[in-house]
Amino acid sequence: MSGGAGADDQMILAPAGKRPSLPLVRAAPLADIVAVVASIGLILTYVGFWSAPLTGYGARSADFLRNFYYPAYLLALVLVCMRPGRALKGMVRSPLLIALLLLTAATYFWSIMPDLTARRIPALVFTTLAGVALASRWSWKSLTEIVAGTLAVLAVMSLLLGALLPDMGRMQEIFPGAWRGLWLEKNGLGHVMVQTTIFLLAAGIMVPERRTLWFGLAAVSMALVILSTSKTALLVLLLSLGAMGFVAVVKSGPLRAVVATWLAVVVVIGVGLLIATETDLVLELLGKDATLTGRTEIWSGIMEQMSDHPWRGFGYGAVWDDPGFTGPKAWIGHQAHFLPANAHSGWLEIYIALGLGGVILFALWLVQIWAQSLWAAYASPGGWLALPMMISYTITMMSESIAMNWHELRWVIVVAVALKLALGDEPAAPNQAAPRPLSRR
């Protein structure tokens, strides 16, 4: 896997003797400008911060919001067309992802709501294409800085909104006083700020000439995780920071890498034993009850509904919008004593939609990404981003339905990371002069 800078990195490198400029600001070829604008547009669209004010913070229907994603479909196509060969190469190297998408499309034929499944399959495909586009167009450094810069702006806006307009920036009901920033509720802010922190810290490490800027903004996003009072987001952030610490140690020398690897194995086994033997203590630390705030009752209902046909789900995106009184949602709600909006588990969300085959395919794909992320921790600059992102995604999807979600930034990012791990950085052309080193004042 190549760890060198791709050709696109040169647009953010300042000539020798001049102060380094911020990425995306310096004059660049028109194609690079279009690519940057398209990438920022994709991130801003799929992060979904704009849905809260447009729906009056949940007071109005959100059905019309899907119309706002059509421009993002076009932006993804534009980016893919800029590097079609790279995009195709990345997909060819991701057969498990292709198999997952094909299985998702096949569920139309047995979906309990085929009209919804038919509408949401293209939405998933184009959301996935956004990740493919970002991975095929940018190097690790450029991808990290573009996402970091875009999300950092939202972090600063959330901080200002919570501080200056608390009626909007902080929750008034259910969790009064908890910061939500630009999002509908505190958990939305918390989880986005975890991603923001990972990208900002990775950008500061990969691009040392802008380290002060990125690390300073990371302090803002970390503060927002705390202000959101989301204990799950805080736990995920701490684990992600631990993953970055692990990458720092293994990259510092062969002996330290061996010691850190063994320590990591011991810690993972120890945490597993702690969860298994002291479950009540762990739940108390997370602020959860024995049902994980009603989640286990939902999970039990899903398992019961799937017991008659474990290999075939009810159709992608079909279960939770079924208005019928005899469908799986109604029976799950009867068992849970309330009507859930989702499975509250990425694994069970895939299970009830695609069946056991989908769970197996997704698990194999996740194992592949994890293996590549661990290798990148030792051998590629991408390890600074890939490993903490996989920690964040894997832990979060255990209790949140974030796996294979259409119109969701976390799915875009995990696809981008997966394909970037498969592709590596694009080597510079042999006849292209290497960029001169940045000046140091």
Side-chain angles (χ1 to χ4, degrees), residues 347-364:
W347 292 104
L348 290 180
E349 197 71 67
I350 295 173
Y351 186 36
I352 200 169
L354 309 184
L356 195 55
V359 174
I360 293 172
L361 282 174
F362 188 86
L364 291 173

PDB file of all heavy atoms in Angstrom, residues 347-364:
ATOM      1  N   TRP A 347     -26.309  -4.245  13.607  1.00  0.00           N
ATOM      2  CA  TRP A 347     -26.338  -5.648  13.218  1.00  0.00           C
ATOM      3  C   TRP A 347     -27.768  -6.148  13.020  1.00  0.00           C
ATOM      4  O   TRP A 347     -28.070  -6.811  12.024  1.00  0.00           O
ATOM      5  CB  TRP A 347     -25.631  -6.494  14.272  1.00  0.00           C
ATOM      6  CG  TRP A 347     -24.171  -6.244  14.337  1.00  0.00           C
ATOM      7  CD1 TRP A 347     -23.494  -5.530  15.283  1.00  0.00           C
ATOM      8  CD2 TRP A 347     -23.181  -6.669  13.385  1.00  0.00           C
ATOM      9  NE1 TRP A 347     -22.160  -5.492  14.999  1.00  0.00           N
ATOM     10  CE2 TRP A 347     -21.928  -6.186  13.846  1.00  0.00           C
ATOM     11  CE3 TRP A 347     -23.233  -7.407  12.206  1.00  0.00           C
ATOM     12  CZ2 TRP A 347     -20.742  -6.427  13.152  1.00  0.00           C
ATOM     13  CZ3 TRP A 347     -22.049  -7.649  11.516  1.00  0.00           C
ATOM     14  CH2 TRP A 347     -20.831  -7.154  11.989  1.00  0.00           C
ATOM     15  N   LEU A 348     -28.646  -5.817  13.974  1.00  0.00           N
ATOM     16  CA  LEU A 348     -30.032  -6.283  13.855  1.00  0.00           C
ATOM     17  C   LEU A 348     -30.790  -5.532  12.773  1.00  0.00           C
ATOM     18  O   LEU A 348     -31.750  -6.063  12.207  1.00  0.00           O
ATOM     19  CB  LEU A 348     -30.739  -6.149  15.201  1.00  0.00           C
ATOM     20  CG  LEU A 348     -30.251  -7.120  16.284  1.00  0.00           C
ATOM     21  CD1 LEU A 348     -31.005  -6.910  17.586  1.00  0.00           C
ATOM     22  CD2 LEU A 348     -30.399  -8.564  15.818  1.00  0.00           C
ATOM     23  N   GLU A 349     -30.357  -4.310  12.476  1.00  0.00           N
ATOM     24  CA  GLU A 349     -30.969  -3.569  11.367  1.00  0.00           C
ATOM     25  C   GLU A 349     -30.701  -4.294  10.047  1.00  0.00           C
ATOM     26  O   GLU A 349     -31.593  -4.425   9.202  1.00  0.00           O
ATOM     27  CB  GLU A 349     -30.404  -2.157  11.319  1.00  0.00           C
ATOM     28  CG  GLU A 349     -31.235  -1.183  10.510  1.00  0.00           C
ATOM     29  CD  GLU A 349     -32.549  -0.825  11.184  1.00  0.00           C
ATOM     30  OE1 GLU A 349     -32.534  -0.171  12.235  1.00  0.00           O
ATOM     31  OE2 GLU A 349     -33.599  -1.217  10.632  1.00  0.00           O
ATOM     32  N   ILE A 350     -29.475  -4.764   9.880  1.00  0.00           N
ATOM     33  CA  ILE A 350     -29.151  -5.531   8.677  1.00  0.00           C
ATOM     34  C   ILE A 350     -29.898  -6.859   8.681  1.00  0.00           C
ATOM     35  O   ILE A 350     -30.422  -7.292   7.641  1.00  0.00           O
ATOM     36  CB  ILE A 350     -27.624  -5.774   8.597  1.00  0.00           C
ATOM     37  CG1 ILE A 350     -26.887  -4.449   8.415  1.00  0.00           C
ATOM     38  CG2 ILE A 350     -27.280  -6.728   7.445  1.00  0.00           C
ATOM     39  CD1 ILE A 350     -25.384  -4.574   8.495  1.00  0.00           C
ATOM     40  N   TYR A 351     -29.972  -7.489   9.839  1.00  0.00           N
ATOM     41  CA  TYR A 351     -30.631  -8.796   9.955  1.00  0.00           C
ATOM     42  C   TYR A 351     -32.100  -8.727   9.552  1.00  0.00           C
ATOM     43  O   TYR A 351     -32.575  -9.529   8.740  1.00  0.00           O
ATOM     44  CB  TYR A 351     -30.490  -9.298  11.389  1.00  0.00           C
ATOM     45  CG  TYR A 351     -30.994 -10.708  11.635  1.00  0.00           C
ATOM     46  CD1 TYR A 351     -30.847 -11.698  10.679  1.00  0.00           C
ATOM     47  CD2 TYR A 351     -31.592 -11.035  12.848  1.00  0.00           C
ATOM     48  CE1 TYR A 351     -31.296 -12.997  10.910  1.00  0.00           C
ATOM     49  CE2 TYR A 351     -32.045 -12.329  13.096  1.00  0.00           C
ATOM     50  CZ  TYR A 351     -31.892 -13.302  12.116  1.00  0.00           C
ATOM     51  OH  TYR A 351     -32.341 -14.581  12.349  1.00  0.00           O
ATOM     52  N   ILE A 352     -32.826  -7.742  10.078  1.00  0.00           N
ATOM     53  CA  ILE A 352     -34.261  -7.678   9.803  1.00  0.00           C
ATOM     54  C   ILE A 352     -34.550  -7.196   8.383  1.00  0.00           C
ATOM     55  O   ILE A 352     -35.610  -7.452   7.839  1.00  0.00           O
ATOM     56  CB  ILE A 352     -34.966  -6.773  10.840  1.00  0.00           C
ATOM     57  CG1 ILE A 352     -36.466  -7.092  10.874  1.00  0.00           C
ATOM     58  CG2 ILE A 352     -34.713  -5.301  10.564  1.00  0.00           C
ATOM     59  CD1 ILE A 352     -37.204  -6.452  12.016  1.00  0.00           C
ATOM     60  N   ALA A 353     -33.573  -6.531   7.769  1.00  0.00           N
ATOM     61  CA  ALA A 353     -33.766  -6.046   6.397  1.00  0.00           C
ATOM     62  C   ALA A 353     -33.280  -7.031   5.347  1.00  0.00           C
ATOM     63  O   ALA A 353     -33.963  -7.281   4.351  1.00  0.00           O
ATOM     64  CB  ALA A 353     -33.051  -4.706   6.217  1.00  0.00           C
ATOM     65  N   LEU A 354     -32.099  -7.612   5.577  1.00  0.00           N
ATOM     66  CA  LEU A 354     -31.467  -8.455   4.549  1.00  0.00           C
ATOM     67  C   LEU A 354     -31.422  -9.930   4.919  1.00  0.00           C
ATOM     68  O   LEU A 354     -31.152 -10.766   4.051  1.00  0.00           O
ATOM     69  CB  LEU A 354     -30.030  -7.981   4.292  1.00  0.00           C
ATOM     70  CG  LEU A 354     -29.802  -6.498   4.006  1.00  0.00           C
ATOM     71  CD1 LEU A 354     -28.339  -6.249   3.692  1.00  0.00           C
ATOM     72  CD2 LEU A 354     -30.684  -6.009   2.878  1.00  0.00           C
ATOM     73  N   GLY A 355     -31.625 -10.254   6.185  1.00  0.00           N
ATOM     74  CA  GLY A 355     -31.518 -11.638   6.608  1.00  0.00           C
ATOM     75  C   GLY A 355     -30.103 -11.999   7.024  1.00  0.00           C
ATOM     76  O   GLY A 355     -29.181 -11.172   7.007  1.00  0.00           O
ATOM     77  N   LEU A 356     -29.919 -13.264   7.361  1.00  0.00           N
ATOM     78  CA  LEU A 356     -28.633 -13.733   7.870  1.00  0.00           C
ATOM     79  C   LEU A 356     -27.520 -13.618   6.834  1.00  0.00           C
ATOM     80  O   LEU A 356     -26.359 -13.383   7.178  1.00  0.00           O
ATOM     81  CB  LEU A 356     -28.767 -15.184   8.344  1.00  0.00           C
ATOM     82  CG  LEU A 356     -27.650 -15.747   9.221  1.00  0.00           C
ATOM     83  CD1 LEU A 356     -27.436 -14.877  10.446  1.00  0.00           C
ATOM     84  CD2 LEU A 356     -27.971 -17.178   9.629  1.00  0.00           C
ATOM     85  N   GLY A 357     -27.860 -13.772   5.567  1.00  0.00           N
ATOM     86  CA  GLY A 357     -26.854 -13.615   4.510  1.00  0.00           C
ATOM     87  C   GLY A 357     -26.249 -12.225   4.522  1.00  0.00           C
ATOM     88  O   GLY A 357     -25.037 -12.055   4.336  1.00  0.00           O
ATOM     89  N   GLY A 358     -27.085 -11.191   4.746  1.00  0.00           N
ATOM     90  CA  GLY A 358     -26.587  -9.827   4.822  1.00  0.00           C
ATOM     91  C   GLY A 358     -25.678  -9.619   6.015  1.00  0.00           C
ATOM     92  O   GLY A 358     -24.655  -8.929   5.913  1.00  0.00           O
ATOM     93  N   VAL A 359     -26.039 -10.227   7.149  1.00  0.00           N
ATOM     94  CA  VAL A 359     -25.203 -10.109   8.345  1.00  0.00           C
ATOM     95  C   VAL A 359     -23.830 -10.730   8.098  1.00  0.00           C
ATOM     96  O   VAL A 359     -22.794 -10.165   8.472  1.00  0.00           O
ATOM     97  CB  VAL A 359     -25.893 -10.779   9.549  1.00  0.00           C
ATOM     98  CG1 VAL A 359     -24.965 -10.800  10.754  1.00  0.00           C
ATOM     99  CG2 VAL A 359     -27.188 -10.062   9.893  1.00  0.00           C
ATOM    100  N   ILE A 360     -23.810 -11.896   7.458  1.00  0.00           N
ATOM    101  CA  ILE A 360     -22.543 -12.585   7.188  1.00  0.00           C
ATOM    102  C   ILE A 360     -21.682 -11.763   6.231  1.00  0.00           C
ATOM    103  O   ILE A 360     -20.471 -11.566   6.466  1.00  0.00           O
ATOM    104  CB  ILE A 360     -22.806 -13.992   6.623  1.00  0.00           C
ATOM    105  CG1 ILE A 360     -23.459 -14.879   7.697  1.00  0.00           C
ATOM    106  CG2 ILE A 360     -21.511 -14.625   6.131  1.00  0.00           C
ATOM    107  CD1 ILE A 360     -23.934 -16.216   7.176  1.00  0.00           C
ATOM    108  N   LEU A 361     -22.279 -11.260   5.162  1.00  0.00           N
ATOM    109  CA  LEU A 361     -21.524 -10.454   4.198  1.00  0.00           C
ATOM    110  C   LEU A 361     -20.963  -9.194   4.855  1.00  0.00           C
ATOM    111  O   LEU A 361     -19.801  -8.836   4.649  1.00  0.00           O
ATOM    112  CB  LEU A 361     -22.417 -10.069   3.015  1.00  0.00           C
ATOM    113  CG  LEU A 361     -22.667 -11.141   1.956  1.00  0.00           C
ATOM    114  CD1 LEU A 361     -23.692 -10.645   0.945  1.00  0.00           C
ATOM    115  CD2 LEU A 361     -21.363 -11.507   1.249  1.00  0.00           C
ATOM    116  N   PHE A 362     -21.805  -8.543   5.653  1.00  0.00           N
ATOM    117  CA  PHE A 362     -21.347  -7.321   6.314  1.00  0.00           C
ATOM    118  C   PHE A 362     -20.223  -7.624   7.294  1.00  0.00           C
ATOM    119  O   PHE A 362     -19.244  -6.878   7.388  1.00  0.00           O
ATOM    120  CB  PHE A 362     -22.510  -6.636   7.024  1.00  0.00           C
ATOM    121  CG  PHE A 362     -22.162  -5.283   7.573  1.00  0.00           C
ATOM    122  CD1 PHE A 362     -22.243  -4.155   6.774  1.00  0.00           C
ATOM    123  CD2 PHE A 362     -21.728  -5.134   8.878  1.00  0.00           C
ATOM    124  CE1 PHE A 362     -21.904  -2.902   7.274  1.00  0.00           C
ATOM    125  CE2 PHE A 362     -21.389  -3.893   9.386  1.00  0.00           C
ATOM    126  CZ  PHE A 362     -21.479  -2.764   8.586  1.00  0.00           C
ATOM    127  N   ALA A 363     -20.351  -8.732   8.043  1.00  0.00           N
ATOM    128  CA  ALA A 363     -19.315  -9.107   9.011  1.00  0.00           C
ATOM    129  C   ALA A 363     -17.994  -9.380   8.302  1.00  0.00           C
ATOM    130  O   ALA A 363     -16.923  -8.952   8.770  1.00  0.00           O
ATOM    131  CB  ALA A 363     -19.766 -10.324   9.809  1.00  0.00           C
ATOM    132  N   LEU A 364     -18.045 -10.078   7.179  1.00  0.00           N
ATOM    133  CA  LEU A 364     -16.819 -10.364   6.431  1.00  0.00           C
ATOM    134  C   LEU A 364     -16.182  -9.083   5.913  1.00  0.00           C
ATOM    135  O   LEU A 364     -14.952  -8.925   5.950  1.00  0.00           O
ATOM    136  CB  LEU A 364     -17.125 -11.313   5.269  1.00  0.00           C
ATOM    137  CG  LEU A 364     -17.513 -12.745   5.647  1.00  0.00           C
ATOM    138  CD1 LEU A 364     -17.964 -13.511   4.406  1.00  0.00           C
ATOM    139  CD2 LEU A 364     -16.350 -13.460   6.326  1.00  0.00           C
TER     140      LEU A 364
END
